[in-house]
């Protein structure tokens, strides 16, 4: 697989990464042996950019990734995050305080079993703490050799500019897909103006763009898509959204690829500074996703794909109200 470079600092990662969150939470029961096998297969295929966070699980996802990369540390680039603290009731608090940043980093290093984190993101911006203070503490971790590169997740362009003034930022992570192209208005231009790469999470719209999304009733009882966290999966919205997916399925069929590969190839063609990190828990899916790196789309293909999914026809917000409050700060 080709590599891409994040930001000005020269962090080289695979063009497609692997989001590991779903291996520990949100999408029903997960089998650890299967998850480790999936990570190993991804690495074998050149998909070496692994994304996790201390809040996933919480904590157990970092531990899982740590076990999976034992003996293969020099083959991967590990990204994890700080800034969210899950409470006993399942709610999440923002905490960008310097003290938390320092202690959380040490804890993440221990769970991952690594001496240095390749890319350390601020998971969400804490409005109660000046970004200069948070990134200042994160920059101390770089100076101490505990972190190689810094990133932000779901920040506003203005916050990104203030962060870059404190320390170089390699990447901004945000949701980006055919169903969520919002970043193209202001965030992506800001990133490019500052020399910051964009890492796209949920590039397959949480399973919608796989073309294999079951009916809502077929989702397991503990699948978060059954709740109000993701309005696009509400019954009426899901029905409308699957009609858009059907258009993409037809296009993908004409091209001889899967719907998921079409969605990922579209992201890859948005620029060499964009890196998608689709999440999956199975070897078959990671093999399918990685193959998207070989798909070539021309200008007419890209136009047809855009036309098939007019953003105004996507039904429902990408997050519920509580989650929307935590982005673009």
């Amino acid at each position: 697989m080709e590599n891409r470079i994040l930001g000005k600092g020269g962090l080289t990662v695979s063009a497609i990464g692997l989001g590991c969150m779903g291996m520990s939470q949100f999408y029903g029961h997960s089998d650890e042996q299967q998850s480790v096998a999936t990570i190993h297969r991804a690495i074998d295929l050149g998909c070496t950019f692994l994304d996790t966070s201390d809040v996933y699980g919480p904590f157990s996802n970092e531990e899982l990734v740590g076990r999976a990369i034992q003996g293969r540390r020099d083959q991967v680039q590990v990204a994890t995050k700080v800034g969210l603290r899950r409470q006993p009731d399942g709610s999440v608090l923002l905490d960008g305080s310097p003290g938390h940043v320092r202690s959380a980093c040490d804890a993440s290093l221990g769970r991952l079993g690594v001496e240095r984190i390749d890319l350390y993101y601020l998971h969400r911006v804490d409005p109660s703490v000046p970004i200069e203070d948070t990134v200042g503490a994160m920059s101390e971790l770089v100076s101490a050799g505990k972190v190689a590169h810094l990133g932000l997740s779901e920040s506003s362009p203005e916050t990104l500019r203030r962060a870059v003034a404190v320390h170089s930022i390699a990447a901004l992570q945000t949701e980006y897909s055919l169903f969520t192209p919002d970043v193209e208005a202001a965030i992506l231009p800001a990133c490019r103006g500052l020399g910051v790469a964009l890492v796209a999470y949920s590039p397959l719209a949480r399973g919608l763009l796989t073309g294999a999304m079951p009916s809502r009733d077929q989702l397991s009882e503990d699948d978060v898509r059954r709740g109000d966290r993701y309005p696009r999966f509400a019954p009426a919205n899901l029905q409308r959204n699957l009609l858009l997916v059907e258009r993409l399925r037809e296009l993908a069929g004409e091209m001889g690829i899967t719907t998921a590969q079409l969605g990922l190839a579209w992201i890859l063609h948005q620029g060499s500074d964009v890196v998608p990190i689709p999440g999956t828990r199975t070897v078959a899916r990671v093999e399918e996703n990685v193959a998207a790196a070989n798909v070539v789309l021309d200008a007419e293909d890209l136009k047809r794909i855009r036309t098939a999914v007019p953003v105004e026809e996507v039904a429902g917000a990408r997050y519920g109200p509580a989650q929307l409050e935590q982005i673009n700060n």
Side-chain angles (χ1 to χ4, degrees), residues 266-309:
W266 178 84
I267 286 279
L268 289 168
H269 281 72
Q270 300 313 302
S272 61
D273 55 351
V274 179
V275 176
I277 51 168
T280 186
R281 300 185 295 188
T282 69
V283 168
R285 281 294 186 192
V286 85
E287 291 174 342
E288 177 184 357
N289 291 344
V290 166
N294 299 321
V295 175
V296 177
L297 303 174
D298 60 26
E300 182 59 27
D301 293 329
L302 293 170
K303 181 179 179 180
R304 293 175 68 201
I305 293 168
R306 286 277 198 179
T307 301
V309 187

Side-chain angles (χ1 to χ4, degrees), residues 82 95-105 126 129-138 140-141:
V82 64
D95 190 348
S97 63
H100 178 63
V101 166
R102 298 184 189 102
S103 61
C105 179
D126 181 352
V129 179
I131 192 64
E132 291 81 2
D133 293 351
T134 304
V135 174
M138 295 172 74
E140 293 173 4
L141 301 174

Side-chain angles (χ1 to χ4, degrees), residues 311-327:
V311 65
E312 64 272 12
E313 292 187 24
V314 176
R318 65 180 175 110
Y319 274 132
Q323 290 74 38
L324 287 175
E325 288 182 359
Q326 295 181 343
I327 65 176

Side-chain angles (χ1 to χ4, degrees), residues 8-240:
K8 299 176 180 178
L11 176 60
T12 301
V13 301
S14 54
I16 297 177
L18 176 62
C20 299
M21 179 189 74
M23 296 176 180
S24 299
Q25 66 177 49
F26 285 157
Y27 300 115
H29 174 72
S30 180
D31 179 87
E32 178 169 327
Q33 185 175 357
Q34 174 181 269
S35 295
V36 170
T38 298
I39 293 173
H40 287 172
R41 182 58 175 153
I43 297 170
D44 291 340
L45 293 170
C47 176
T48 58
F49 184 32
L50 308 179
D51 185 87
T52 182
S53 173
D54 62 357
V55 79
Y56 300 159
F59 311 130
S60 58
N61 197 246
E62 286 185 325
E63 294 168 346
L64 169 66
V65 171
R67 287 190 289 272
I69 65 173
Q70 285 183 7
R72 308 190 72 169
R73 175 65 182 100
D74 61 344
Q75 300 175 41
V76 299
Q77 306 85 45
V78 178
T80 191
K81 310 177 190 75
V82 64
L84 293 180
R85 291 195 289 112
R86 193 174 300 280
Q87 304 303 293
D89 64 358
S91 63
V92 173
L93 295 180
L94 301 178
D95 190 348
S97 63
H100 178 63
V101 166
R102 298 184 189 102
S103 61
C105 179
D106 288 339
S108 288
L109 287 167
R111 287 187 290 268
L112 290 164
V114 300
E115 295 183 354
R116 186 171 69 167
I117 295 165
D118 297 304
L119 178 57
Y120 201 38
Y121 292 104
L122 177 61
H123 206 151
R124 293 290 186 272
V125 175
D126 181 352
S128 69
V129 179
I131 192 64
E132 291 81 2
D133 293 351
T134 304
V135 174
M138 295 172 74
S139 71
E140 293 173 4
L141 301 174
V142 176
S143 298
K146 297 179 179 182
V147 169
H149 302 273
L150 301 183
L152 300 183
S153 180
E154 293 286 14
S155 80
S156 68
E158 176 55 31
T159 296
L160 176 61
R161 293 185 186 97
R162 290 168 57 193
V164 169
V166 176
H167 190 278
S168 61
I169 301 296
L172 186 146
Q173 184 175 139
T174 187
E175 184 172 349
Y176 187 25
S177 72
L178 279 164
F179 272 33
T180 308
D182 317 44
V183 298
E184 295 172 351
I187 293 175
L188 188 52
C191 286
R192 287 177 169 158
L194 294 166
V196 175
L198 190 140
V199 173
Y201 75 82
S202 294
L204 296 177
R206 299 184 175 84
L208 278 172
L209 295 178
T210 62
M213 177 71 199
S215 71
R216 184 183 170 93
D217 293 338
Q218 290 176 294
L219 297 173
S220 63
E221 289 296 329
D222 53 352
D223 191 311
V224 74
R225 291 172 293 184
R226 292 178 67 99
D228 57 4
R229 182 184 178 93
Y230 302 124
R232 287 176 182 167
F233 291 88
N237 290 339
L238 181 59
Q239 185 176 14
R240 292 170 58 189

